[in-house]
Amino acid sequence: MVGGGFGGLLAVRGLRGADVDVTLVDRQNFYLFQPLVYQVATGSLSSVEISVPLRQIVRRQRNARVLLGEVDGFDLERRLVSVLGLPNDGDTAELPYDLLVVAGGSRYSYFGHDEWAPYAPELKSLPGALDLRDRILLAFEAAETEADADARQAWLTFVIVGAGPTGVEMAGQIAELGQTLRSEYRAVDTRSARVLLVEATDRVLGAFPDPLPRKAERQLRTLGVTPMLKTTVVGIDAHGVEVEDAAGRRTRVSARTAVWAAGVTASPLAGRLAEAAGAETDRAGRILVEPDLTLAGHPEIFAIGDMVVVRGQTLHGVAPVAMQEGRHAAESIRTGTRSPFRYHDKGELATIGRARAVGTIKSFKVSGFVAWVTWLGVHITYLIGIQNRVVVLTRWTFSYVTRGRGARVIHRRSR
Amino acid sequence: MVGGGFGGLLAVRGLRGADVDVTLVDRQNFYLFQPLVYQVATGSLSSVEISVPLRQIVRRQRNARVLLGEVDGFDLERRLVSVLGLPNDGDTAELPYDLLVVAGGSRYSYFGHDEWAPYAPELKSLPGALDLRDRILLAFEAAETEADADARQAWLTFVIVGAGPTGVEMAGQIAELGQTLRSEYRAVDTRSARVLLVEATDRVLGAFPDPLPRKAERQLRTLGVTPMLKTTVVGIDAHGVEVEDAAGRRTRVSARTAVWAAGVTASPLAGRLAEAAGAETDRAGRILVEPDLTLAGHPEIFAIGDMVVVRGQTLHGVAPVAMQEGRHAAESIRTGTRSPFRYHDKGELATIGRARAVGTIKSFKVSGFVAWVTWLGVHITYLIGIQNRVVVLTRWTFSYVTRGRGARVIHRRSR
């Protein structure tokens, strides 16, 4: 079992009590509740409040063990996974398997512009989110001491690239942060912060059905976010972002803080597995799997989650898909059968700000307060661990009542 | 006002509503509740749960503003403080003052052996604590994958240098962590972890009155900690610690993790201020102040907290002293008078583990469960912010009931 995200973890748990020995390999010692990572970036939650040690999760599952390490290759013939042992730097181990489940997930890609990465951290990993938290908070600090008006406005301008759920949620949070901070600064009016949401298509939340994108856009504008649709990013550096509109006109926006939330690509594990198995990958680096989630010609290997495309199906790279695929793989292993995976769409939700959200619940479209409460409920339910649930609920209650942010700590001082 | 620790913050708050303009300068954007830093190092609490943004604390105090920056010099003649502006790297500002309160605190010193620092992080700052958390958790991970018995034992051996309150608390926590983790590892028995507490004097908690040091030592042994008294450290590297006993015999202990909790020295600000004012400093770098907490010949300058020695008084470098000094300085400024500071000793407490603590409450000596409950109450009371109180209390309740640790996230993977 490779990868302790939504898919991998559900696969492990699905094998509880089964007559198999499960080894879960992950680079990190914790499971990260990715849908809330953006709340770490804006100082609403602490990183540990959305993470649970993998060992703790499978503590009572006697047939499972956890190995902290990085998978860097597959030998399908000899049925070996090679693992770089991380605690003891430099150790490599060859792990034999009878059945293999690979769930490496995805990451953001900078469309071939990796030189942008230092100026626009991504929002999928904890280090990215913590880096962003520092940058966002330091930007307000810098604005407070900056005498020049233009330079100050550049510190107070935030560009978010990509208007998927993460980009939208992040934009809403930064706009709200500007409101929250207004009483804490003396020289600067934090409400004058500009939040620009750059999106290449003609709508925000493009994966959601009409009229939700339009509603979300309206809610964002109410919060003070400026969506810049049909606009692509052509350059990012420490002082700003250059964008191009649909007519090909280029504009430079002075902004000291940029956030990357666009262009998902599969984990490199997908490519390595595809190479070993002679399988296809798509443009986003995802490996093609059979309808039963196994690799063609390798019924002993399952690949699931964000890093795969299921033959004949179009599925979003969202947590529920990965979770259901994980459960399906476990069930197939447990019963020794292979059957086609079918996704049960229970809906999708994106929150935009305090008491604002849009989404679908089964086939109903919801927005506003109802959607927001549902979003809260769903996220609390799927957070692992009672302790995290209580702590996160506490923080959210305080945020709701006081509009405060409980986790605004700048760890690193360098920018 | 320089420094937003216990002393500086109480001085700022003591000036609420007074007819003065207060500028609080600190390198960090948050106040850190230092007595609980060790709980971050052992994964019991998250760093943000014991930190509160300074701006948030003084939000409603209209005569106060916060400046994020590092003080690097004093010009007493022209009454200027020079500040390196941190948000905008490289900016320096000269801050004029009429009255100055310096509260730079203290840090650990490696007795002139700074080369030990990379192998034995200190426990006073958040970066040190987070570094230690990674190391401690990775040590258990490494032990799990280590085949060689001696090497494994070295991963499971933890040396804590210094048996003051922090060292004792840390030793107890690591011992308990070994118990907590036992059900999560398959190859290794985490209860076989050895925790060695090295102390140069003949007792632990030397600042506490008899018979508390003896009681604390007994409680530590019950937890599985081995106090090594009358023992000094003569060398630390990545693979172990060399110690010397009272008879001059040297022994090498194979240990992959060491913790530094000894040898406090004053902030460099004490030295810089002393130089500017022509004041004396003691061996620990602390500046000598008059009984009214001002510098001799400079009634406009107060120095308080861990970085000072008050003429004619022997005070411990503990939070209550700094807090009372901060309040005294504020009162003196408010009334325009200078009067001798007098410390009201309400007692001191050190926790050793679950339901174990020792201490004094006024003139009573307490130990065991009563001391522990008092410790809990005092620490929750002095934590700033209702939100942090609720969150920390939640975590402690879970820890008490489940013996779990809620914040066991390894952020960095390199060791």
Side-chain angles (χ1 to χ4, degrees):
Chain A
M1 201 76 62
V2 178
F6 284 108
L9 212 48
L10 266 282
V12 172
R13 294 179 116 186
L15 290 169
R16 202 164 7 190
D19 187 22
V20 288
D21 288 320
V22 182
T23 301
L24 172 63
V25 184
D26 199 291
R27 289 181 302 161
Q28 297 182 313
N29 79 323
F30 55 89
Y31 154 84
L32 179 67
F33 192 70
Q34 224 166 55
L36 292 179
V37 166
Y38 77 95
Q39 295 217 353
V40 173
T42 50
S44 292
L45 296 176
S46 135
S47 56
V48 306
E49 288 159 7
I50 58 164
S51 323
V52 190
L54 291 172
R55 291 191 186 282
Q56 185 177 320
I57 297 172
V58 302
R59 181 166 88 248
R60 296 217 176 76
Q61 187 172 340
R62 299 307 304 186
N63 69 350
R65 64 188 189 111
V66 175
L67 192 67
L68 190 66
E70 180 147 19
V71 169
D72 74 338
F74 304 93
D75 183 337
L76 304 195
E77 205 143 308
R78 293 163 59 217
R79 301 204 174 178
L80 293 173
V81 175
S82 74
V83 181
L84 285 169
L86 285 170
N88 259 315
D89 262 344
D91 286 15
T92 315
E94 301 235 286
L95 218 63
Y97 66 85
D98 298 312
L99 292 156
L100 179 66
V101 181
V102 184
S106 61
R107 49 192 66 183
Y108 285 109
S109 88
Y110 290 81
F111 302 133
H113 287 282
D114 285 347
E115 72 275 16
W116 297 347
Y119 309 115
E122 46 75 33
L123 258 176
K124 235 178 160 64
S125 71
L126 221 37
L130 291 171
D131 185 6
L132 268 173
R133 184 171 76 191
D134 284 359
R135 285 171 191 240
I136 292 167
L137 297 174
L138 279 171
F140 285 106
E141 294 290 340
E144 174 84 350
T145 59
E146 180 60 64
D148 179 72
D150 287 344
R152 190 164 58 237
Q153 192 56 55
W155 281 116
L156 289 177
T157 303
F158 301 87
V159 176
I160 291 110
V161 184
T166 300
V168 164
E169 288 169 336
M170 191 67 191
Q173 286 259 321
I174 297 180
E176 289 193 333
L177 191 60
Q179 300 291 330
T180 298
L181 295 180
R182 73 183 185 285
S183 60
E184 299 192 5
Y185 287 79
R186 303 291 183 248
V188 82
D189 183 356
T190 59
R191 284 170 300 179
S192 65
R194 287 171 71 206
V195 183
L196 309 177
L197 182 60
V198 180
E199 167 61 37
T201 72
D202 64 348
R203 53 180 60 194
V204 303
L205 298 179
F208 287 68
D210 280 324
L212 297 178
R214 224 176 46 242
K215 285 196 178 178
E217 195 186 326
R218 206 157 49 223
Q219 295 184 19
L220 282 167
R221 285 190 196 277
T222 313
L223 270 176
V225 174
T226 310
M228 296 173 74
L229 304 176
K230 297 193 226 168
T231 305
T232 53
V233 170
V234 291
I236 306 179
D237 60 37
H239 290 267
V241 176
E242 193 169 355
V243 294
E244 187 176 288
D245 67 14
R249 267 186 307 266
R250 293 197 169 190
T251 324
R252 190 177 160 81
V253 180
S254 286
R256 300 297 293 256
T257 314
V259 179
W260 193 264
V264 166
T265 186
S267 153
L269 286 184
R272 263 173 243 154
L273 186 60
E275 203 180 319
E280 289 169 56
T281 52
D282 72 355
R283 230 163 38 100
R286 296 178 300 177
I287 185 170
L288 183 73
V289 297
E290 298 303 301
D292 63 2
L293 307 179
T294 64
L295 299 193
H298 288 282
E300 80 282 13
I301 304 180
F302 292 83
I304 57 174
D306 285 7
M307 59 167 250
V308 311
V309 193
V310 183
R311 189 185 296 279
Q313 298 191 40
T314 319
L315 298 170
H316 289 281
V318 293
V321 171
M323 292 166 78
Q324 292 181 28
E325 289 179 351
R327 243 182 260 128
H328 183 85
E331 201 48 37
S332 304
I333 292 171
R334 196 188 264 281
T335 57
T337 56
R338 300 291 177 267
S339 61
F341 168 71
R342 228 178 294 281
Y343 177 54
H344 298 284
D345 191 353
K346 295 185 195 152
E348 201 175 345
L349 291 159
T351 173
I352 294 159
R354 188 170 182 271
R356 289 191 177 89
V358 299
T360 54
I361 302 171
K362 307 238 169 173
S363 54
F364 297 101
K365 292 164 193 167
V366 288
S367 67
F369 191 77
V370 172
W372 184 72
V373 168
T374 313
W375 178 91
L376 283 184
V378 169
H379 282 74
I380 284 290
T381 308
Y382 282 99
L383 252 184
I384 288 180
I386 303 173
Q387 187 174 160
N388 280 343
R389 285 184 199 142
V390 173
V391 169
V392 170
L393 209 51
T394 304
R395 290 219 185 269
W396 282 351
T397 307
F398 274 96
S399 293
Y400 186 75
V401 175
T402 68
R403 293 167 188 257
R405 291 280 186 276
R408 298 194 339 255
V409 171
I410 303 177
H411 273 292
R412 280 151 296 178
R413 274 176 248 116
S414 62
R415 197 195 151 85
Chain B
M1 200 79 58
V2 178
F6 284 109
L9 213 48
L10 267 282
V12 173
R13 293 179 116 186
L15 290 169
R16 198 163 14 189
D19 187 21
V20 288
D21 289 320
V22 182
T23 301
L24 172 63
V25 184
D26 200 291
R27 287 180 304 163
Q28 298 182 312
N29 80 323
F30 55 89
Y31 154 85
L32 180 67
F33 193 70
Q34 222 166 57
L36 292 179
V37 166
Y38 77 94
Q39 294 216 355
V40 172
T42 51
S44 291
L45 296 176
S46 135
S47 57
V48 306
E49 287 159 7
I50 58 163
S51 323
V52 189
L54 291 172
R55 291 191 185 281
Q56 185 177 322
I57 296 171
V58 303
R59 181 166 87 248
R60 295 218 176 76
Q61 187 173 338
R62 298 308 304 185
N63 68 351
R65 63 187 189 112
V66 175
L67 193 66
L68 189 66
E70 180 147 20
V71 169
D72 74 336
F74 303 94
D75 182 339
L76 305 194
E77 206 143 307
R78 292 163 60 216
R79 301 204 173 178
L80 294 173
V81 175
S82 74
V83 181
L84 286 169
L86 285 170
N88 260 314
D89 262 346
D91 286 14
T92 314
E94 301 235 286
L95 219 63
Y97 66 84
D98 298 312
L99 292 156
L100 179 66
V101 181
V102 184
S106 61
R107 49 193 67 182
Y108 284 110
S109 89
Y110 288 82
F111 303 134
H113 286 283
D114 285 348
E115 73 275 15
W116 297 348
Y119 309 115
E122 45 76 33
L123 257 177
K124 236 180 159 64
S125 71
L126 222 37
L130 291 172
D131 186 7
L132 268 172
R133 184 172 76 191
D134 284 358
R135 285 171 191 241
I136 292 167
L137 297 174
L138 279 172
F140 284 106
E141 294 291 340
E144 174 84 351
T145 59
E146 180 60 65
D148 179 73
D150 287 343
R152 189 164 58 237
Q153 192 56 54
W155 280 117
L156 290 176
T157 302
F158 301 87
V159 177
I160 290 111
V161 185
T166 300
V168 165
E169 288 168 337
M170 191 68 192
Q173 287 259 321
I174 297 180
E176 289 193 334
L177 190 60
Q179 300 291 329
T180 297
L181 296 180
R182 73 183 186 283
S183 60
E184 300 192 3
Y185 287 80
R186 303 290 182 249
V188 82
D189 183 355
T190 60
R191 285 170 300 179
S192 65
R194 287 172 70 206
V195 182
L196 309 177
L197 181 61
V198 180
E199 166 62 37
T201 72
D202 65 347
R203 54 179 60 194
V204 304
L205 297 179
F208 286 66
D210 280 324
L212 298 178
R214 224 177 45 243
K215 285 197 176 175
E217 195 186 325
R218 206 158 49 223
Q219 295 183 20
L220 282 168
R221 285 191 195 278
T222 311
L223 270 176
V225 174
T226 309
M228 297 175 74
L229 304 176
K230 297 192 227 169
T231 305
T232 53
V233 169
V234 292
I236 306 179
D237 59 37
H239 291 268
V241 176
E242 193 168 355
V243 294
E244 187 175 288
D245 68 12
R249 268 186 306 267
R250 294 196 168 191
T251 325
R252 191 177 160 81
V253 180
S254 285
R256 300 297 294 255
T257 314
V259 179
W260 191 264
V264 167
T265 187
S267 153
L269 286 184
R272 265 174 241 155
L273 186 60
E275 203 179 319
E280 289 169 56
T281 53
D282 72 354
R283 229 163 38 101
R286 296 179 300 177
I287 186 170
L288 184 72
V289 298
E290 298 303 301
D292 63 2
L293 307 179
T294 64
L295 299 194
H298 287 282
E300 80 282 12
I301 304 180
F302 293 83
I304 57 174
D306 285 7
M307 59 167 250
V308 311
V309 192
V310 183
R311 188 185 296 280
Q313 299 190 40
T314 321
L315 299 169
H316 289 281
V318 293
V321 171
M323 292 167 78
Q324 292 181 27
E325 289 179 349
R327 243 183 258 129
H328 184 85
E331 201 49 36
S332 303
I333 290 170
R334 197 188 263 282
T335 58
T337 57
R338 299 291 177 267
S339 61
F341 169 71
R342 229 178 293 282
Y343 177 55
H344 299 283
D345 190 354
K346 294 186 196 152
E348 202 174 344
L349 291 159
T351 173
I352 293 158
R354 189 169 181 272
R356 289 191 178 88
V358 299
T360 54
I361 302 170
K362 307 238 169 169
S363 54
F364 297 101
K365 292 163 194 166
V366 288
S367 67
F369 191 76
V370 172
W372 184 72
V373 168
T374 313
W375 178 91
L376 282 184
V378 169
H379 282 74
I380 284 290
T381 308
Y382 281 99
L383 251 184
I384 288 181
I386 302 172
Q387 187 175 160
N388 279 342
R389 285 186 201 142
V390 174
V391 169
V392 170
L393 209 51
T394 304
R395 290 221 185 267
W396 282 351
T397 307
F398 274 95
S399 292
Y400 185 75
V401 175
T402 67
R403 291 167 190 258
R405 292 280 184 277
R408 298 196 337 256
V409 170
I410 302 177
H411 273 293
R412 280 152 297 178
R413 275 175 247 115
S414 62
R415 197 198 151 87

